[in-house]
Structure formats: structure tokens, C-alpha cells
Amino acid sequence: MVSKMPEKKKLKLKKFFFHPITMFLVGTILVMLISLILSSFEMQSTYNSITTNGKDLTSKLVVVENLFNYENLKYLISNTVKNFMGFSPLCMLLISLIGISIAKATGLIDIISTKHIRKLSKYQLTYLVLLLGVISSIVNEVGYVILIPLAALVYEKNGRNPLLGVVTAFCGVAFGYGVSIFVGSQEVALIPYTKSAAHLIDSSAHISLTSNLIFIIVSSLLLPLIGTPIIEKLISPKLPKFHRHDKVTGKTLQTSELLLSDITDEEEKRIAFEKNSKRGLKYALIVSIIVILLFAYMIIPNLPGSGLLLDMTAKTYLDQLFGSTSYFQDGFTYMVAILFITTGLAYGIGAKTIKNDRDLIEKTSDTFKDLGMVLLMIFVFSQFITVWKQSNIGIVFTSWCANLLSHLEFDGIPLIVITIIIISISNFFCTSLNTKWMIFSPVVVPLFMQNNISPQFAQIIMRAGQSITAGISPFMVFFVIYLAYLNIYNQNKERPITIKQSISFVIPYFAIAALAWILIIVLWYVAGIPIGPNIKPTI
């Protein structure tokens, strides 16, 4: 008789999750250690920089800095407060939240969500958020600090998972950063380098402001269309569930206990609420039109009292509007906050949802009650980013990528695809648009022109490479806003959403968007469709 052996119990190890704040602390130490190791091996690279006359190249040496040496340690310690206070995502987020919180406190966001946005299907809402994310890149990265918190609120008010709103907004801004509905800050960043690099081959080459206009308009409409089913079919099911808690006020009456007076009272309240809401929306609409017209007047030059937001020292209007010293660009987040504040107050007055200033301030403060964790995360992340930039590892790697590209012998479609891939890989480690194009343009633009590809089309390749990996790089400075809001709306506080998990949410979007970018560009090149007025992919 065969005796039965007792079954061995499988030992299950409990998974352990580090909080993102802990991981950024660990990452900071790791970067410093890596910098020590690489600098000991004298890791360095050189890249060519174009001089102001656009005809000569100057070789620049960049080395990996040892962050444990005396000077770098002194810099990191003495600049800790400055790095945190000067961290742009923090300031932009706080300013935008002031406006959003007032609009929320007065009930403006609620009424717009329930009366208007709720009429949209889930696919229409997703497309709208993605489209707004793409368009927002016309003024740098404002979409991260405005659209992410706003999308989370709107999704929650419409009975959808606010985590999905956070992911959707982030995907729209990050993976569509290379295009916008019109020319903007990216033209200011790219064109000077593209023009100087083109002059190395053809001194008469001209890069106009609208040289990519047709491409960016079509792509800005097409990318959200591709992204909508990815969000709804692939990403939405894998997100943590969000459970809504119904607030019960007072004693629930049985149907038989309802009195005619109760029904009449409720009906009167409903009619009064709808009447007040309509008046509030009317006030908000009038005020929003006035504020937008005032801001529009401030960016029109050469009119009485106009041009307040322009940098009149710049030569071209685009530089005046989107240049590095432009008042419009620097103050755009504050302008949006003012729009939310004024329209929110107008709605509150018209709808009679504001009792007094104390009531408004108390309701507004509710938005900031969950920001303790966010501030701590941003503080740690700001030091992590500072250490990463100070090490020069990202720039050295980007320089290696540019040098690799210059030694490859490809032409036509293989050259285009390889360039997109190499720029995308470098973008993971160096997310600054200006820095990358400063390094890549003297290589990419002449190489393309020698293969009969226009410098304007090379600029589009840069846009694609910038967008493809922007959403999966923890070195991107606005990544912390995305991660922080995921954890704000994460209901399982014992299991925070980690860096790895936050990136895994957007991997389907990254993979398909990357393929879409490459296909769109290749097909555009093969078809020879103009990328701008009188500008074709080939010379």
C-alpha cells in the first residue's frame, strides 16, 4: 500500500514595495556612486557646437563629474534649498492649483462636468483630454501642471476613475509633446540650431516659422485619435480600481413616509439651483471672454498700452512671445490661474454658492490638504534631478549617440528610422529639448541634407524623438507631477504606486505611439507631402 506523502505548502513571499520618495533617495545615492565610478575611468565625450556665424564648428569636451569630490559636494549641499525653491514644476503646480481650487470651490468645475462634459461618451472625453494635452505643448510644459489635476477632477465628477484621468492627461502631454496645433515655443527652441546647422551645407538655407506647420496640425489631430483606444482598451483595465463612497446626509425616508410638502420643497430647491446655475454660467462666460480679450490685447504689439506680455527686445514676434525672456511664456501658468479664479468667482457670485470670504477660503484649502506628500516627493525629486544634471552622465551619453549616428552609413528610410530611434534613446537620459538639438543638429541636419532630405524634415525627426520616450523617463522633470497625482488618488495607501508601476501604466501607449510616430514620418517622406507651406521632406 503506497503511503501518501504530505503535500508541501508553498512558501509565499510577501511582496515589498518601496515608496517612490524612498526610491528617489536611493536613486540620488546611486547616481552619485555611478558618477564616482565613471569619473574614475575618465568617461567623457566631445560634441560639435556651431558658432554664432553658423559656419564653423567648435569641439566641446564634456566629462562625467565625480559628485563626491570637494567642490561638487559643497555645491549640492549649499544649493539644496535653492534647487527646491527654484524647481519649476513646484511653482507652476502651486499656482495652477490656486486657480483650479477656487473654480472647484465655487462649483464651476462641478456644473461644467455634470451639465456639459457628462454628455460626452468616454471615447470623446478621452480624445478631448489627449488633444488638449498635445495642444498644451505650444507653451512648453504647462499641460503637466494644469491638465493632470484638472483631468483627475473631471473624470471623478463624471463617475470615472480619476487615475485614468491622470494617465490620459500625462500621455497626451508627454507623448504628443513634439507637435501642437500651431507654432509655439518649440519653434523658438529648434529653429536657431536647425538654421545654423543647415548653413554648414548651404549658406542660403532659410528655416521659416511655419516650416513644420502642416505636419504638426495633422499629427496633433491624428495622435489623440490613435491614443484613445489605447487608453480605453489597454490602459484603463490595468489601473487600480477606484471606489466611490456615497455620503448619506440625514435619515432616509421610506416611500410611504414621503409628504407632499417634502416633494414640493425638493422641487423648489431644484428649480432654484438650476436658475442660479444658469445665471452663474452666464456670469462666468462673460468674465472669461473679458479676461481672454485682455490677455490677447497684451500680446499684440504697437497698439496703445499693448504688448505688456511681450519681450520687446527680441527681433521676431515669435521670440517676443515664446522666447526665453518672454513675459507671456513665463507668466502663462499664472494667466491660466487668473482665468480660473475670475471665472470661478463670477460663477460663485451668480450661482450664490459663495457665502462669504471665509467659506471660499475654507473650501479652497481642501484642495491643498493632500499636498504634504507631494511637496516631500518634489523636494526629494528636485535633489535627484540636480544630482543627475550635475553629473553630466546624460549629456555624455547624448554626445555618444550623436557621434554614433555620424559614423553610420545609411540613407533614405533607414537613416530616418535609425535617427528617430537614437534620438529617442538619448531622450530617456537627457530630456532637455534645447540641449539635445544643440548636440544633434550639427550631425543630423548636414547628414540629412547630404542625403537629399530637407533640414525642416530633420527638425520633425527631433520632435518625434523628443516625444517617443518623454513619458517613460524618470529623468523628465515633470514626471514627478504624474507620479504624485497617481498616489494622491490611489486609495490603497499601504501599497503606493511605485515608479516602475507608474511607467508600466503607459507602456502600451509608449509602444503604439512610437510605432505610430515612425509610420507617420516614413509615409509622409515616401508620399512627399508638404510638411509646411512650400516645404517638402526632400530638398
Side-chain angles (χ1 to χ4, degrees), residues 259-329:
L259 302 176
L260 181 61
S261 58
D262 296 324
I263 299 174
T264 304
D265 184 53
E266 290 296 324
E267 183 64 18
E268 288 176 353
K269 288 181 180 179
R270 185 187 65 80
I271 293 173
F273 172 77
E274 290 185 354
K275 181 180 178 181
N276 291 338
S277 295
K278 288 181 179 179
R279 183 170 60 248
L281 286 173
K282 182 180 178 180
Y283 285 9
L285 179 61
I286 293 172
V287 169
S288 65
I289 292 174
I290 293 173
V291 171
I292 291 172
L293 288 176
L294 284 174
F295 284 144
Y297 191 78
M298 293 179 185
I299 60 174
I300 299 175
N302 305 323
L303 290 178
S306 68
L308 180 66
L309 297 175
L310 297 176
D311 176 17
M312 301 308 295
T313 61
K315 295 180 180 179
T316 66
Y317 179 71
L318 197 67
D319 284 323
Q320 293 174 358
L321 192 62
F322 294 111
S324 58
T325 56
S326 164
Y327 304 102
F328 173 78
Q329 181 165 270

Side-chain angles (χ1 to χ4, degrees), residues 125-126 128-136 142-153 155 162-177 231 235 481-482 485 506 509:
L125 177 58
T126 297
L128 177 62
V129 173
L130 289 174
L131 180 62
L132 290 174
V134 171
I135 293 175
S136 70
V142 295
Y144 293 109
V145 297
I146 295 173
L147 194 59
I148 287 178
L150 193 59
L153 281 175
Y155 271 63
L163 292 171
L164 184 62
V166 173
V167 174
T168 303
F170 179 74
C171 287
V173 181
F175 296 110
Y177 187 75
I231 294 289
I235 296 179
I481 304 296
Y482 163 63
Y485 267 88
V506 300
Y509 201 104

Side-chain angles (χ1 to χ4, degrees), residues 55-72:
K55 296 179 181 179
D56 301 315
L57 291 176
T58 302
S59 181
K60 290 191 175 182
L61 174 69
V62 57
V63 300
V64 174
E65 290 283 343
N66 175 15
L67 299 182
F68 281 104
N69 67 28
Y70 178 80
E71 291 299 325
N72 281 318

Side-chain angles (χ1 to χ4, degrees), residues 389-424:
K389 289 181 177 179
Q390 189 69 10
S391 71
N392 283 338
I393 296 174
I395 297 180
V396 169
F397 182 80
T398 301
S399 179
W400 286 348
C401 290
N403 291 332
L404 172 64
L405 184 61
S406 66
H407 289 90
L408 297 178
E409 296 183 359
F410 291 101
D411 58 10
I413 294 176
L415 174 62
I416 291 171
V417 174
I418 290 294
T419 304
I420 293 174
I421 292 173
I422 290 178
I423 293 178
S424 300

Side-chain angles (χ1 to χ4, degrees), residues 201-496:
I201 302 296
D202 181 6
S203 59
S204 64
H206 174 67
I207 313 297
S208 67
L209 297 176
T210 58
S211 60
N212 293 165
L213 184 59
I214 297 175
F215 180 87
I216 62 177
I217 291 176
V218 174
S219 299
S220 64
L221 298 174
L222 190 58
L223 287 173
L225 193 64
I226 297 169
T228 298
I230 304 173
I231 294 289
E232 293 297 337
K233 297 294 185 181
L234 300 179
I235 296 179
S236 180
K238 65 189 292 187
L239 293 177
K241 301 300 179 184
F242 188 83
H243 304 285
R244 295 161 188 82
H245 304 290
D246 296 327
K247 295 180 180 179
V248 181
T249 56
K251 182 180 178 181
T252 304
L253 296 174
Q254 301 294 328
T255 305
S256 57
E257 296 177 316
L258 289 174
L259 302 176
L260 181 61
S261 58
D262 296 324
I263 299 174
T264 304
D265 184 53
E266 290 296 324
E267 183 64 18
E268 288 176 353
K269 288 181 180 179
R270 185 187 65 80
I271 293 173
F273 172 77
E274 290 185 354
K275 181 180 178 181
N276 291 338
S277 295
K278 288 181 179 179
R279 183 170 60 248
L281 286 173
K282 182 180 178 180
Y283 285 9
L285 179 61
I286 293 172
V287 169
S288 65
I289 292 174
I290 293 173
V291 171
I292 291 172
L293 288 176
L294 284 174
F295 284 144
Y297 191 78
M298 293 179 185
I299 60 174
I300 299 175
N302 305 323
L303 290 178
S306 68
L308 180 66
L309 297 175
L310 297 176
D311 176 17
M312 301 308 295
T313 61
K315 295 180 180 179
T316 66
Y317 179 71
L318 197 67
D319 284 323
Q320 293 174 358
L321 192 62
F322 294 111
S324 58
T325 56
S326 164
Y327 304 102
F328 173 78
Q329 181 165 270
D330 290 344
F332 189 80
T333 305
Y334 184 53
M335 292 162 58
V336 175
I338 290 175
L339 181 63
F340 276 113
I341 291 170
T342 52
T343 53
L345 291 174
Y347 175 81
I349 294 170
K352 298 181 180 180
T353 58
I354 302 176
K355 297 178 182 179
N356 49 54
D357 60 333
R358 296 186 303 277
D359 179 58
L360 176 63
I361 292 172
E362 185 177 343
K363 289 180 179 178
T364 301
S365 301
D366 288 342
T367 304
F368 294 87
K369 65 183 179 181
D370 295 323
L371 287 186
M373 180 272 295
V374 175
L375 291 176
L376 179 57
M377 186 181 294
I378 290 178
F379 171 76
V380 176
F381 184 78
S382 66
Q383 308 312 314
F384 168 71
I385 289 297
T386 300
V387 166
W388 175 254
K389 289 181 177 179
Q390 189 69 10
S391 71
N392 283 338
I393 296 174
I395 297 180
V396 169
F397 182 80
T398 301
S399 179
W400 286 348
C401 290
N403 291 332
L404 172 64
L405 184 61
S406 66
H407 289 90
L408 297 178
E409 296 183 359
F410 291 101
D411 58 10
I413 294 176
L415 174 62
I416 291 171
V417 174
I418 290 294
T419 304
I420 293 174
I421 292 173
I422 290 178
I423 293 178
S424 300
I425 294 172
S426 71
N427 182 65
F428 183 88
F429 299 97
C430 178
T431 59
S432 170
L433 179 66
N434 287 33
T435 302
K436 275 197 311 298
W437 197 226
M438 177 183 66
I439 296 173
F440 271 105
S441 60
V443 175
V444 174
V445 174
L447 184 61
F448 273 41
M449 293 178 71
Q450 289 169 352
N451 285 275
N452 199 38
I453 302 175
S454 67
Q456 294 89 341
F457 197 71
Q459 195 169 266
I460 286 177
I461 302 302
M462 182 65 218
R463 292 177 183 272
Q466 176 76 12
S467 299
I468 287 174
T469 51
I472 61 169
S473 174
F475 302 106
M476 195 263 291
V477 293
F478 287 90
F479 178 82
V480 68
I481 304 296
Y482 163 63
L483 184 59
Y485 267 88
L486 285 178
N487 280 284
I488 286 177
Y489 286 96
N490 175 35
Q491 293 179 324
N492 187 359
K493 300 304 179 183
E494 294 183 358
R495 184 175 175 176

Side-chain angles (χ1 to χ4, degrees), residues 39-179:
S39 64
S40 66
F41 286 100
E42 298 183 351
M43 287 294 183
Q44 60 186 28
S45 183
T46 58
Y47 64 89
N48 292 322
S49 176
I50 305 175
T51 56
T52 53
N53 60 19
K55 296 179 181 179
D56 301 315
L57 291 176
T58 302
S59 181
K60 290 191 175 182
L61 174 69
V62 57
V63 300
V64 174
E65 290 283 343
N66 175 15
L67 299 182
F68 281 104
N69 67 28
Y70 178 80
E71 291 299 325
N72 281 318
L73 282 175
K74 185 169 67 173
Y75 170 83
L76 294 175
I77 294 172
S78 62
N79 285 273
T80 299
V81 176
K82 187 185 294 185
N83 293 334
F84 176 56
M85 298 304 296
F87 193 60
S88 59
L90 170 64
C91 303
M92 293 171 67
L93 177 65
L94 293 178
I95 291 171
S96 67
L97 284 180
I98 292 172
I100 293 173
S101 61
I102 290 178
K104 176 187 175 185
T106 59
L108 177 61
I109 291 179
D110 288 5
I111 197 67
I112 292 177
S113 298
T114 55
K115 291 289 185 181
H116 300 285
I117 297 180
R118 186 163 288 181
K119 296 177 182 178
L120 301 175
S121 69
K122 64 179 184 179
Y123 288 96
Q124 290 173 330
L125 177 58
T126 297
Y127 180 83
L128 177 62
V129 173
L130 289 174
L131 180 62
L132 290 174
V134 171
I135 293 175
S136 70
S137 64
I138 193 172
V139 186
N140 287 335
E141 295 90 359
V142 295
Y144 293 109
V145 297
I146 295 173
L147 194 59
I148 287 178
L150 193 59
L153 281 175
V154 169
Y155 271 63
E156 187 177 20
K157 296 298 179 184
N158 279 272
R160 302 201 68 191
N161 190 342
L163 292 171
L164 184 62
V166 173
V167 174
T168 303
F170 179 74
C171 287
V173 181
F175 296 110
Y177 187 75
V179 293

